[in-house]
Amino acid sequence: MTYDPNNIFARILRGEVPCQKVYEDAHVLAFNDIRPQTPVHILVIPKGAYVSLDDFSAKASDVEIAAFVRAVGKIARDNGVAESGYRILANHGVHAHQEVPHFHVHIFGGRQMGAMVPKS
Ligand code: 5GP
């Protein structure tokens, strides 16, 4: 899939759309999900133009990938869910219902969660 530079997360990265920022560094931006499903629901995105994990894992540099993974762990710790537990989730493509075509990881936490993948 070709990257669409007008997707909503690209617009957030360019400052055209506001977000509740929780973390930023040279390679990564994180902000609260606009429709939180858990008390902590943070979206972590790379600053580079990658459609999904499939694209990111194939094309991102080792520096970008390391920065991203380190940021996810730090954001979870800094937001108080590392001890109680959290779930990370990345949707890729149609079967996973990926809504926004800019790679992102969800961090869910702050309450007990249910089954990892519902049956239907
Ligand atoms: P996906 O299904 O692509 O993994 O999830 C996209 C997520 O982005 C959804 O949880 C949705 O609530 C969130 N989202 C969509 N538009 C916006 C927005 O404009 N701002 C923020 N902060 N989150 C958004």
Side-chain angles (χ1 to χ4, degrees):
M1 185 195 272
T2 310
Y3 184 80
D4 171 10
N6 290 317
N7 77 74
I8 190 72
F9 292 172
R11 297 184 64 206
I12 286 173
L13 278 169
R14 290 196 295 270
E16 297 167 6
V17 172
C19 71
Q20 285 185 341
K21 183 165 76 175
V22 299
Y23 176 83
E24 183 169 19
D25 67 25
H27 300 288
V28 177
L29 178 68
F31 46 89
N32 289 321
D33 196 291
I34 204 167
R35 294 186 297 270
Q37 298 186 43
T38 47
V40 173
H41 185 175
I42 296 168
L43 299 169
V44 188
I45 71 173
K47 290 188 171 177
Y50 303 103
V51 177
S52 69
L53 178 65
D54 184 60
D55 196 17
F56 186 70
S57 62
K59 297 183 190 154
S61 69
D62 290 354
V63 169
E64 289 174 292
I65 291 170
F68 190 83
V69 173
R70 290 201 185 279
V72 170
K74 175 175 170 48
I75 292 161
R77 286 191 297 277
D78 290 353
N79 284 272
V81 294
E83 294 236 338
S84 51
Y86 62 92
R87 178 171 293 162
I88 63 170
L89 181 148
N91 291 316
H92 163 67
V94 173
H95 278 188
H97 295 275
Q98 182 179 2
E99 178 190 331
V100 179
H102 181 112
F103 174 47
H104 52 281
V105 163
H106 299 252
I107 301 176
F108 297 107
R111 68 165 168 80
Q112 184 65 50
M113 285 171 271
M116 189 168 69
V117 180
K119 288 191 174 118
S120 59

